[in-house]
């Protein structure tokens, strides 16, 4: 069956798929995403790279377009109507994000460029201010470079020790080693809620509780969890949490740092300039209140408003339903892939503890070649080390192939992936 | 539709020319493509002298995708026997012509890794001698 035939068949049974229970009607959702209807290489794209960045629904595009057309002026300083309208929408977006992740107040939501900038903000502001030579930072072997390199650089600069929670052969964090790794010198613990390679959903509670018991602060990199499953920072009791807007239907250039109020208040600014000061005199500046203290310069407020619209869209679907939908597709993908001769799944094979990320290798086929061949069939997957080189070193792999799913993916797209893999094997005579 | 993986490219990948390591090579250099982990090492044995140095032999090892490894094989087949100064001037387009199939931007980097290793190796060798 060609992809086009597969789509046509799916068109016919539209509504039947996912009609049951808690899962989503991906077919109806797709109608909100103009890019998914557009041909790529002459074919309807099977887009399986949302873990890198998601596509955007018209609701998000319209929300931003509406600001530029009708309510655009710089926020905070204007006393005229346009500026006040833009400021009100910006504040509203912050409140939406706060509610979305269960933050006690909107003031605890700092808008950044992305999760990477949020984590760098912590390394610069918290790390350089509160950590002393000899202190220890504990991260894990499965981190994305964004939650790896800032701590590596900080450790080198400040004479800190960077330690790693190891992974088990199944690709889960080995928490048996946790008590040994946490010492009185451990001041910061930072880990990915969901691995962008292994897909592993790490239970944050035992790590956070045990880190707090020895007085360490905990950062959660939620880049791969906030877009895909219910996340509540108050239940989690993390000290900080970071994520990117562009992976959750929002635009590029907007991300979020959540922090406990007393910590954000104690931290010095990251960047300095306008908007982040309350007054500047010749003898020195006085910092603005949180979160504005961390938002120097004109912020990406149109993008923040776009993120607010994305949060509305996700909330209307329900994060539990989104998780259930992705679990169903992931379970099917793991099952189909395990039948392909030479395919090896990287990470947990239990969909209960795996997010919508299916990473694999194919015997004697380099992931780059596989991704190129799949692209010819209109199937978009990612190949490489997915910005997690230390993890790949640990796994003894130079590169892997990754298919990832989101709200708009349908089960038959997994069939398209599998069929394209067989075709690639045939083309390379494997 | 499989033009990227035409017979001659697969052939160079399956049966790479000048594959291996040269003991006591005059030039040895290795680099990897940080995005995909492709890695290539090239050894070069020179003969002649002064302005007339010539690539007497060359060999590569590495791992990576078909494009990176096949392009390295084609490149070495092309440069062995040529004057060093000529090889040092090879343009990226020359390698793309050797590969002979259309490549997307991301895959161009794979195809050019071997050339980058060879030219950097030559440059470092020249620097060492001055």
């Amino acid at each position: 069956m060609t992809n086009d035939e597969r789509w046509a068949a799916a068109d016919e049974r539209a509504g039947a798929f996912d009609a049951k229970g808690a899962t989503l009607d991906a077919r109806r959702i797709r109608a909100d995403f103009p890019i998914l209807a557009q041909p790529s290489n002459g074919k309807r794209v099977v887009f399986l790279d949302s873990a890198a960045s998601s596509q955007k629904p018209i609701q998000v595009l319209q929300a931003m377009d509406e600001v530029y057309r009708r309510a655009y002026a710089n926020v905070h300083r204007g006393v005229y109507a346009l500026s006040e309208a833009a400021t009100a929408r910006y504040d509203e977006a912050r409140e939406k994000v706060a509610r979305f992740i269960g933050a006690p107040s909107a003031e605890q939501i700092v808008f950044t460029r992305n999760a990477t900038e949020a984590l760098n903000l912590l390394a610069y502001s918290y790390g350089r201010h509160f950590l002393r030579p000899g202190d220890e930072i504990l991260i894990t072997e499965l981190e994305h470079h964004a939650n790896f390199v800032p701590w590596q650089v900080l450790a080198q600069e400040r004479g800190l020790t960077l330690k790693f929670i190891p992974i088990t052969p199944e690709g889960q964090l080995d928490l048996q080693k946790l008590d040994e790794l946490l010492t009185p010198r451990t001041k910061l613990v930072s880990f990915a809620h969901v691995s962008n390679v292994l897909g592993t959903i790490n239970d944050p509670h035992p790590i956070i509780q045990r880190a707090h018991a020895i007085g360490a602060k905990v950062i959660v990199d939620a880049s791969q969890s906030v877009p895909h499953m219910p996340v509540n920072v108050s239940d989690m009791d993390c000290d900080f949490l970071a994520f990117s807007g562009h992976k959750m239907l929002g635009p590029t250039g907007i991300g979020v740092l959540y922090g406990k109020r007393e910590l954000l208040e104690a931290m010095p600014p990251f960047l300095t300039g306008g908007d982040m000061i309350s007054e500047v005199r010749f003898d020195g500046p006085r910092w603005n209140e949180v979160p504005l203290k961390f938002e120097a310069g004109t912020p990406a407020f149109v993008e923040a408003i776009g993120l607010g619209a994305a949060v509305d869209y996700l909330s209307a679907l329900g994060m539990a339903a989104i998780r259930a939908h992705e679990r169903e597709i992931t379970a099917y993908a793991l099952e189909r892939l395990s039948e392909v001769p030479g395919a090896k799944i990287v990470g947990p094979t239990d969909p209960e503890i795996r997010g919508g990320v299916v990473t694999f290798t194919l015997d004697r086929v380099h992931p780059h070649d596989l991704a190129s061949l799949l692209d010819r069939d209109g199937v978009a997957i990612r190949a490489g080390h997915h910005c997690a080189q230390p993890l790949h070193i640990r796994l003894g792999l130079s590169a892997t192939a990754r298919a990832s799913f989101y709200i708009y993916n349908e089960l038959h797209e997994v069939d398209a992936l599998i069929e394209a893999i067989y075709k690639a094997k045939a083309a390379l005579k494997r | 539709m499989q033009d990227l993986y035409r017979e001659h490219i697969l052939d160079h990948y399956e049966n790479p020319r000048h594959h291996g390591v040269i003991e006591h090579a005059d030039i040895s250099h290795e680099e990897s493509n940080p995005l995909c982990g492709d890695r290539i090492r090239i050894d070069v044995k020179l003969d002649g002298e002064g302005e007339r140095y010539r690539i007497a032999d060359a060999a590569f090892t590495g791992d990576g995708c078909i494009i990176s490894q096949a392009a390295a094989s084609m490149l070495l087949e092309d440069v062995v026997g040529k004057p060093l100064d000529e090889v040092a001037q090879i343009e990226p387009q020359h390698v793309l012509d050797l590969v002979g199939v259309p490549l997307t931007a991301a895959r161009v980097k794979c195809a050019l890794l071997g050339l980058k290793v060879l030219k950097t190796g030559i440059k470092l060798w020249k620097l060492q001698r001055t």
Side-chain angles (χ1 to χ4, degrees), chain A residues 261-283:
Chain A
R261 184 186 285 272
E262 65 275 17
L263 296 174
L264 292 176
E265 281 173 353
M267 283 158 59
F270 169 41
L271 301 171
T272 57
D275 226 20
M276 50 73 63
I277 40 88
S278 62
E279 47 180 329
V280 181
R281 301 185 179 194
F282 285 101
D283 63 350

Side-chain angles (χ1 to χ4, degrees), chain A residues 363-384:
Chain A
D363 189 30
R364 295 164 64 230
V365 180
H366 191 278
H368 255 195
D369 295 317
L370 180 66
S372 280
L373 285 164
L374 263 52
D375 179 48
R376 305 297 170 95
D377 271 340
V379 177
I381 66 159
R382 189 151 285 256

